Amino acid sequence: MTIALLSHVDLDAGYPDRFKAAGFTLYFATTPEQRNSLDPQTAQQIRAVLTIGSIGLSAAEMDNLPDLEIICAQGVGFEHIDVAAAKQRGIHVTHGPGTNNSSVSDHTLALMLAITRKIPQFDAAVRGGEWKKARWNTPGMAGKRLGIIGMGNIGSLIAHRAAGGFDMEIAYHNRRPLQDTPYRYFPDITGLAQWADYLVVATPGGKDTVRLVDADVLRALGPDGFVINIARGSVVDSGALIASLQNHEIAGAALDVVDGEPKVPAQMLTLDNLVITPHVAGRSPESVENMMTLVLSNLTAHFSDKPVMTPVPQ
């Protein structure tokens, strides 16, 4: 007997066959329209859902899946999964902590360098035949101050790379200070931003972190400061960020996530002091393999009546 699995995400080549070999029949609902119009007969069969934190699964959607037993978030985030509703129904929820840490950390440094050294503008200028005109002086990153909002596993890897590779001075903000860390702690984000040359957002998404980086924080960062967001788009106030970039109140921003993605505010697309990538920081062959292997391990454990590997924190 096969187990019906509904996936909110497209699977890279090879992974559908791996799921099928593990005993799962795959159904896909990768757009809001598909999820809202799921065939009732299919919905009756679904016993597992594969999703991501920025899509999630609401209580109402769970109600439409009467045989649902387990929800697997592909990455570490699960902010849009109604965990309380799942718990009430006895539905297990898992996620993927640690599976894409290295990829996200690498991408963060790439974004920092891209916005600092104007890599997209240089590339465009050379392709446009403006080699000589575009040989501008751009600042370096070595020895600057890096403030990290959210010194978790990913934040710690970013700090390690920045300190070891670029001799950057590191400070951070968490809800509470960490023990046994060499980095300076700031109890408030505005103070961290005022101190920093770079402000990296690496905190989880969800209702507790909405617009943590607002107009006041951006003003504190100042005209020589850069903000980089590889967390969730909701953590940064998009309107305040656009205004700050338009008025050159900060030096620039680099985003892998945008509030309301995949829709990007039109005003962002005209800014030459902004670099945007399409929420790909966590995507690499290595991280995708880690995530899919863990998802399959959680699913196999659950349907073998064993404890899941990585349940979400309750």
Side-chain angles (χ1 to χ4, degrees):
M1 183 180 70
T2 59
I3 298 164
L5 168 67
L6 179 67
S7 180
H8 290 171
V9 295
D10 287 317
L11 299 179
D12 290 356
Y15 290 107
D17 289 339
R18 283 177 60 178
F19 277 89
K20 291 174 184 177
F24 296 95
T25 299
L26 289 170
Y27 297 92
F28 290 92
T30 59
T31 67
E33 293 75 20
Q34 289 172 336
R35 291 189 286 275
N36 291 333
S37 60
L38 190 64
D39 177 66
Q41 289 186 330
T42 300
Q44 293 283 330
Q45 303 173 48
I46 299 299
R47 296 174 65 190
V49 167
L50 170 59
T51 188
I52 56 176
S54 57
I55 294 175
L57 197 70
S58 68
E61 289 171 319
M62 293 179 207
D63 289 342
N64 290 330
L65 305 172
D67 285 345
L68 182 63
E69 299 178 28
I70 184 170
I71 304 162
C72 294
Q74 179 174 292
V76 64
F78 54 90
E79 68 276 13
H80 287 154
I81 298 175
D82 193 329
V83 176
K87 183 178 180 181
Q88 189 173 24
R89 270 189 51 184
I91 299 168
H92 293 276
V93 184
T94 71
H95 66 144
T99 52
N100 62 4
N101 290 356
S102 291
S103 180
V104 175
S105 303
D106 290 350
H107 197 83
T108 303
L109 271 293
L111 287 174
M112 292 170 67
L113 285 166
I115 190 61
T116 303
R117 299 291 296 174
K118 297 185 181 295
I119 300 301
Q121 292 92 330
F122 280 131
D123 181 83
V126 171
R127 293 173 188 272
E130 297 184 353
W131 181 285
K132 291 184 178 180
K133 290 182 181 179
R135 298 184 72 234
W136 317 301
N137 286 332
T138 56
M141 204 166 78
K144 300 291 178 66
R145 291 176 168 181
L146 170 60
I148 299 175
I149 302 173
M151 189 63 85
N153 292 332
I154 290 174
S156 296
L157 280 179
I158 293 167
H160 177 74
R161 284 159 164 73
F166 292 90
D167 297 318
M168 299 184 82
E169 188 177 351
I170 310 295
Y172 72 98
H173 169 79
N174 276 3
R175 283 176 291 183
R176 59 188 66 86
L178 300 173
Q179 300 297 317
D180 302 320
T181 177
Y183 308 130
R184 179 177 175 183
Y185 174 71
F186 278 82
D188 66 275
I189 296 172
T190 303
L192 178 65
Q194 192 168 26
W195 172 88
D197 299 304
Y198 293 84
L199 190 66
V200 167
V201 182
T203 190
K207 58 183 178 62
D208 294 332
T209 59
V210 172
R211 297 186 182 89
L212 279 184
V213 178
D214 58 13
D216 290 340
V217 171
L218 294 170
R219 275 192 293 269
L221 185 60
D224 296 321
F226 298 92
V227 62
I228 293 88
N229 188 6
I230 48 79
R232 288 291 187 262
S234 58
V235 184
V236 176
D237 184 327
S238 294
L241 178 62
I242 290 168
S244 293
L245 291 168
Q246 287 176 332
N247 298 325
H248 298 281
E249 293 171 353
I250 62 173
L255 310 175
D256 185 55
V257 288
V258 176
D259 199 14
E261 62 185 57
K263 185 177 181 181
V264 178
Q267 293 165 296
M268 284 188 176
L269 301 177
T270 63
L271 296 168
D272 64 0
N273 51 356
L274 173 65
V275 172
I276 308 178
T277 56
H279 202 155
V280 292
R283 291 192 62 83
S284 67
E286 298 84 0
S287 63
V288 171
E289 172 62 20
N290 292 340
M291 287 187 283
M292 291 298 99
T293 297
L294 183 55
V295 166
L296 279 166
S297 295
N298 278 315
L299 289 169
T300 301
H302 170 73
F303 288 109
S304 300
D305 295 322
K306 297 176 182 178
V308 295
M309 312 288 290
T310 50
V312 301
Q314 295 291 329

